[in-house]
């Protein structure tokens, strides 16, 4: 199991080092033969090489079976030219490794349901999977730019999807639904945008291969509303890159704790990039305050999707749940009277819960 570790910026290094401790622990326990390699991405890569995604990192990423990423970005990079911003590193690794299938579960942990901004009964036991297309759409469409037209500046981007791009994400979404509640809701804006009319047409065509999954469609504005009105109506949602970006942030807040949510970005062979969905939180970086659980849960996804070890995947999830049950909380998930522990202590707790 060759794993490339990309700690990144801000709290990235500290959350990733707790996840690496968990990996090493599992490696010893099961003799997995894990080989770790480290690389640079984001702001730290810009500082060292002037590029947010150096060739060296791309080379290592191509060889790896899986990649564990912390977070990228920080205020000191905001004024750099676009090509040097840390976020470009993230977009570049997704595109160059063809990581088109982004899985973002939004799961409410029983012990943390009270932290949601929605009423408890709306979110208790909530378990949604958002399948977001990650290498197409307006994120990468050409032409794009800012230019002078008739004496004024004009900014433009292109929303574009080909049939084959829609098909492959559709298959991932239908197969995910087959393994869960067998309900798939495809999100588009077909009443206005042709690119998403094609999206809907192709979803309907692919549905013929999956008679056991019920497919519904929803316009994105309505989906944004339904997510806060009655989120439990959803099982798997599938959507394009830009709508998925927005809806997955919205869905994460239903769970009350962005510090808990993992993600996977997969290519056609289940090679994957695994990362927490939260950002680099520069305000608390280096203070042992960050929550490492989303990164540790990203390992759980890694064992499930890339290494096909459902047993270990489940074991990690169970360990995290038992740590929550025992009342241990980092600052972001603590209620008023909870005692708060740091990032390292949270890593210790998970390792203890995993047992020898
Ligand atoms: C995400 C992030 C990225 C995106 C940014 C940092 C480029 O918001 O992973 O959702 O827009 O995809
Ligand atoms: Mg986002």
């Amino acid at each position: 199991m060759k794993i490339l570790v990309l700690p990144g910026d801000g709290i990235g290094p500290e959350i990733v080092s707790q996840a690496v401790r968990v990996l090493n622990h599992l490696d010893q326990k099961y003799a997995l033969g894990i080989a770790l390699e480290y690389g640079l991405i984001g702001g730290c890569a810009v500082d060292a090489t002037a590029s947010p995604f150096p060739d060296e990192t791309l080379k290592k990423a191509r060889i790896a079976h899986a990649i564990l990423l912390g977070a990228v970005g920080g205020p000191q990079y905001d004024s750099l030219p676009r090509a040097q911003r840390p976020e470009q590193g993230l977009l570049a690794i997704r595109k160059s490794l063809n990581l088109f299938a982004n899985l973002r579960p939004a799961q409410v942990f029983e012990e943390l349901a009270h932290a949601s901004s929605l009423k408890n009964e709306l979110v208790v036991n909530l378990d949604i999977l958002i399948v977001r297309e990650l290498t197409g759409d307006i994120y990468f469409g050409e032409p794009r730019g800012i230019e002078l037209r008739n004496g004024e500046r004009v900014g433009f981007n292109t929303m574009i999807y080909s049939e084959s791009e829609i098909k492959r994400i559709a298959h991932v979404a239908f197969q995910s639904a087959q393994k869960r509640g067998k309900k798939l809701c495809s999100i588009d804006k077909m009443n206005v945008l042709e690119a998403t009319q094609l999206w809907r047409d192709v979803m309907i065509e692919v549905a013929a291969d999956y008679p056991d999954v019920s497919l519904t469609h929803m316009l994105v504005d309505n989906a944004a509303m339904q997510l806060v009105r009655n989120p439990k109506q959803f099982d798997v949602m599938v959507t394009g890159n830009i709508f998925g970006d927005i809806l997955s942030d919205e869905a994460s807040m239903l769970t009350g704790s962005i510090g808990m949510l993992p993600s996977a970005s997969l290519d056609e062979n289940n090679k994957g990039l695994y990362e927490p969905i939260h950002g680099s939180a520069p305000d608390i970086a280096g203070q042992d305050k960050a929550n490492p659980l989303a990164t540790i849960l990203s390992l759980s996804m890694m064992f499930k999707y890339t290494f096909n070890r459902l047993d270990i995947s489940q074991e990690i999830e169970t360990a995290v749940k038992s740590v929550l049950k025992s009342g241990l909380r980092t600052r972001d998930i603590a209620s008023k009277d909870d005692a708060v522990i740091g990032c390292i202590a949270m890593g210790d707790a998970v390792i203890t819960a995993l047992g020898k």
Side-chain angles (χ1 to χ4, degrees), residues 87 90-91 94 104 132 134 139 241 245 248-249 275:
E87 296 76 18
L90 207 51
L91 297 175
R94 290 171 181 171
R104 299 193 164 184
R132 169 189 176 195
L134 202 58
Y139 269 59
N241 206 345
D245 178 45
S248 63
D249 264 29
E275 56 176 323

Side-chain angles (χ1 to χ4, degrees), residues 288-300:
D288 192 37
K289 285 182 181 163
N291 182 353
L293 292 178
T295 317
I296 292 170
L297 288 167
S298 298
L299 291 181
S300 167

Side-chain angles (χ1 to χ4, degrees), residues 67-205:
I67 299 156
L68 178 68
L69 189 144
V72 300
Q76 68 271 45
Y77 307 109
D78 283 351
S79 53
L80 288 174
R82 180 167 296 274
Q84 281 182 24
R85 290 201 205 140
E87 296 76 18
Q88 293 303 313
L90 207 51
L91 297 175
I93 194 171
R94 290 171 181 171
K95 191 70 176 174
S96 48
L97 296 182
N98 207 11
L99 305 171
F100 69 94
N102 184 211
L103 311 185
R104 299 193 164 184
Q107 210 188 334
V108 170
F109 291 86
E110 215 179 303
E111 290 76 14
L112 303 178
H114 63 271
S116 174
S117 47
L118 294 193
K119 291 195 201 87
N120 201 67
E121 70 263 25
L122 285 182
V123 297
V124 76
N125 296 324
L126 178 78
D127 182 3
I128 299 176
L129 176 66
I130 295 185
V131 178
R132 169 189 176 195
E133 200 290 328
L134 202 58
T135 53
D137 203 353
I138 197 164
Y139 269 59
F140 296 96
E142 300 281 348
R144 64 189 300 156
I146 301 176
E147 63 185 36
L148 269 182
R149 291 185 194 169
N150 302 322
E152 67 167 342
R153 287 172 302 161
V154 174
F156 54 98
N157 291 88
T158 303
M159 179 177 257
I160 178 167
Y161 265 121
S162 67
E163 188 177 356
S164 57
E165 285 176 304
I166 304 168
K167 262 191 188 146
R168 65 179 184 176
I169 194 71
H171 283 289
V172 171
F174 276 102
Q175 285 164 23
S176 302
Q178 275 183 325
K179 291 180 198 140
R180 296 171 39 106
K182 301 195 164 44
K183 272 169 44 180
L184 178 62
C185 184
S186 169
I187 312 297
D188 61 45
K189 188 70 185 174
M190 61 78 88
N191 53 347
V192 180
L193 303 171
E194 287 83 355
T196 74
Q197 173 68 60
L198 181 68
W199 178 279
R200 186 175 291 209
D201 295 345
V202 173
M203 284 290 155
I204 293 170
E205 289 158 25

